[in-house]
Amino acid sequence: MTSLDATVKRVRDTIYRLHADGPSQQTLVQRLGDVIERQTAEAGLRVETEYRGAVADLETSDLADDVLAVIREALSNVVRHAQATVVAIRISVTADSVTVDVTDDGIGVGTPDRASGLANMTRRAYAHGGNLQLNGPPRGGTHLHWTAHRR
């Protein structure tokens, strides 16, 4: 992605996050932005975000809290363990499903000492008939792929 493309993307993401129904309510995208900012602010990570589909449709569903928790835990793992410089977050919403992809350029998954965060993300996926997958992309790092079915 060129620097101009990245700038345009950040502007679009910012506009998307600023769109709110009321002055005292935060949209899910705004809440996600807050979580991403809190989790990565001191890590020096370059964060790329992408929202696909009608993310706003999740605002009143129980999936919203699960998506927030998965993002929070995934970024916590990246910051604490990955030694990454870039993390890409993509949240896709279709009529049938929600997908969260978090990919970093760090040192890979390795052998986790504790798996409580991964277990929590897996439970959240299973609660919605979904799944959690972790793998190492060919160019290194870690790719977390979390899915849930909408009811």
Side-chain angles (χ1 to χ4, degrees), residues 12 17 21 27 35 37 47 57 65 71 97 99 111 118 122 130-131 143:
R12 286 182 179 153
R17 281 197 303 265
D21 293 337
T27 66
V35 166
E37 175 65 25
V47 180
D57 288 352
D65 289 335
I71 293 293
S97 67
T99 303
T111 307
L118 295 175
T122 300
N131 199 2
H143 176 213

Side-chain angles (χ1 to χ4, degrees), residues 47-61:
V47 180
E48 300 169 357
T49 56
E50 180 179 352
Y51 301 101
R52 292 182 177 177
V55 176
D57 288 352
L58 299 179
E59 301 213 12
T60 58
S61 79

Side-chain angles (χ1 to χ4, degrees), residues 73 75-83 114 117:
E73 182 62 38
L75 290 176
S76 176
N77 288 343
V78 170
V79 168
R80 286 184 301 178
H81 307 295
Q83 300 175 18
R114 291 181 26 215

